[in-house]
Structure formats: structure tokens, C-alpha cells
Amino acid sequence: MKIFISWSGTQSHEAAAALKNWLPYIFTDAQVFVSSEDIRKGKRWLPEISKELSTTNFGIVCLTQDNLESPWILFEAGALSKLKSAQVCTLLFGNLRNADVEGPLSNFQSTIFNKSDFLKLIQSINSKLGKSRLDEQRLKAMFEKWWPDLDNSITASSKHNEKSVKP
């Protein structure tokens, strides 16, 4: 399973990095791609991103109030949406809600970053695993075990970003 995480901006990047570290606790065979972490220094980044976009199974687009119109978010979401085999989900952070997201990103099923909605996202990823899919009860147990780590990491990052923003 290849998971592509799209980000733009500081808060979105920190969330993407946290997801990259957290998802393998649930999906041990997942190959999670975050451009800042997975493209080696000296490599041409556009061909690397294009290669990953063309071979992914699931895309997570990390949205915050400040990146809703980011050209790279729109580019990566569009590239992911062209793949017949891939699913794309927008993941909303901060005070962002479904009504805040306009087209073309509003065409994707969104997830608000809270425990119950994020579990549904994890269940969607699990459903793409086919024969490697985790039993629903085991998936929920693993999610319950690891959720506090992800929630704490992202919440701490959000609070740090709120303090660093100048009025």
C-alpha cells in the first residue's frame, strides 16, 4: 500500500510528518510518502513527486486555513484524482470545516481531524488493502492504542503554530 500525503505550509507539513510517522503503526507494510522527508537532497523533486503520484493507492491532502488555494495542493490532489485505483481524502485541521472547502477540493470526501472521523479514514485505507486488510476489531484496537500519540503530536503542533502567528 502506497500512501501519498500532500501538504503546503508549516502546519500542514507538521501534520503530514506526524502522519508519516504514525500510519506504519497501524499499517506495517504501508509506504508513506511525504515529499520533504522522502526526496533525497540533490534529487530533482518534480520527477520524484510525479513518480509517487502515478503509483499511489491512497492520497491524503492535509488542509489548513492558509493552504486552501495552494497551487501545489491543487496540483497533487488533481494528479491523485486521475488515478482510477487511488482514493483521495482531504484531511481538515484547525477550525477548518467541510463548508470552508470549495471546488475543486470539495469534490473529495473530507475528514475532520477528530477521533471518530479519523477512524473512518483509517477504515477506508484498510479497505484498500484487499487480502492484507486487518480484521475490523483488531484495526479498532490498534487505532485506540495509537490515536493518543497522533492526536497529541498534531495538537501540540497546532498550538505552537497558533502562538507563532503574528496578528
Side-chain angles (χ1 to χ4, degrees), residues 39-123:
I39 299 176
R40 294 180 153 221
K41 299 296 182 194
K43 291 286 246 178
R44 294 177 188 247
W45 57 268
L46 188 56
E48 293 293 314
I49 288 175
S50 296
K51 180 181 81 175
E52 291 299 323
L53 286 169
S54 67
T55 60
T56 197
N57 305 99
F58 203 97
I60 300 173
V61 181
C62 296
L63 293 180
T64 60
Q65 195 67 49
D66 64 338
N67 73 2
L68 288 173
E69 296 178 9
S70 163
W72 283 111
I73 290 281
L74 296 172
F75 170 79
E76 291 173 351
L80 288 165
S81 73
K82 292 173 106 179
L83 298 173
K84 291 180 182 178
S85 63
Q87 280 182 253
V88 184
C89 178
T90 54
L91 184 54
L92 312 182
F93 292 97
N95 296 332
L96 209 56
R97 297 295 170 248
N98 294 330
D100 300 325
V101 181
E102 297 177 357
L105 294 173
S106 62
N107 290 311
F108 301 114
Q109 186 70 15
S110 64
T111 299
I112 296 172
F113 186 75
N114 64 42
K115 186 176 181 180
S116 62
D117 213 21
F118 193 74
L119 174 58
K120 292 176 186 174
L121 172 64
I122 295 303
Q123 290 168 326

